[in-house]
Amino acid sequence: MSHRLNPIDEVFLSMGPTEDQVGLTHGQFLRFQGGAPPLSDLRDHVRERLPALPGLTHRMTPARGRRPRREPDPGFDPAAHLREQEFPPGTPLDTVLTALAREPLPENAPPWSMRLVHGHADGEFAVCYRVHHSAEDGMGASHIVSALFGDPCLEGGRRDTAGPRPLISGSARELARGTVSVGTGLARALVPAQPWPKAPRPRPERLGVSAADATWNELRQLSRRFGATLNDAFLMTLWKALDAWAADGDQDVRSRFRTAPVPVRMPLSTRRPGEDALLGNHLTTAVVALPARGTPLDVAFGQLAGRTRRMRAHGLRPASRALVGILPAPLTRWTVRRLLSPRASPLYASNFSLPTALSFCGAPAIDATPLGVLLPGNALSVTLLSYGQRVRVGFLYDRALPDAERLAGLWREALDTLSAPA
């Protein structure tokens, strides 16, 4: 069955030629304990789970002058999307992640790929799932991974590929406040108070990935210490990492990070409970300014927690959900493009989680590392992914950004510093 893309999907689909869209491909890298199974086992496993995930068999196609559609691929072959990739023993994880992030997706086919990765570390293997942003947002990709490697009895039934969703999911007060928030965000995107430089779109060979490891309890304890959320702790640690990174740059973009509060663009899901299986993009974005450099820690935490609290409380999610369904598609596309303006925010920061007890061929998942997206005009994105008690933070960057490969290590150092007893 064919389905029309929603306007947000169309925006991500239109962001440049296919060969330049590698940065718009995101996903998860799941590490499993044990020896690598044969690739045929992964192919058989995916085929077995496909009936519950029909979106994996759909591709995006133009409709002869009309809006593009999502329709079944008549020549779909799971084997074309699954490959085995072996790395030399001792290959650093960041090198593995960077190589995977640079790979193009299959052409003229459903826009996703999966790699069985091994050789780089003893006693473990990995499965890397990547998908183009026009097909799935972050929560949608997390659902795919959960449905593929979780207990199918706990994942629910078949995916709803196009069932109607109620547009109104908030009170009149929430919708009014949320509409004002959308308008305010649009105005700030069109005329930012302090415009940020627009970065050129990097070619695949210029992309880099680095990752940092933490525990859920470390971030939770830090957030509780200041009466904030785990997401606030993630952002505060990012604030300190950017501060340390920017300290060394006098003649490049780092000086801008040092002299101005950094606005961070964050996606907010507009899915309601039970809608994690919906195909496509169901999200809005909001910009949260990190505290100014030199702000005392307790004051900075209070400022950030207040800003994110207002972001969540202003009805942005229900209003955005309603507006996408009510407004004409051209107006929605125009608005989404403007809201994603890199002039209003130099980086994108996301926060997702996966359910516990993922496994494949009897091998339990050790942890999960996110591969984020690099929006056109941004040179850096940061994604936090929680799995059980483990947290991984992934940095996707343009290698033209000076010393960007240090950011993951600086984030880990910042968490240690912030978590140290006063």
Side-chain angles (χ1 to χ4, degrees), residues 4 13 16 28 51 57 71 135 151 157 176 199 207 221 237-238 244 260 263 295 318 322 342 368 411 416 418:
R4 192 172 61 192
L13 186 63
Q28 292 94 28
T57 68
E71 63 181 27
D151 185 341
L207 291 177
Q221 290 174 6
T237 310
L238 177 60
T295 305
W411 188 92
D416 291 334
L418 293 174

Side-chain angles (χ1 to χ4, degrees), residues 254-273:
R254 286 174 293 180
S255 62
R256 182 65 185 277
F257 279 79
R258 187 172 63 250
T259 57
V262 179
V264 177
R265 185 172 304 284
M266 301 195 70
L268 301 173
S269 176
T270 61
R271 298 168 188 255
R272 299 179 71 185

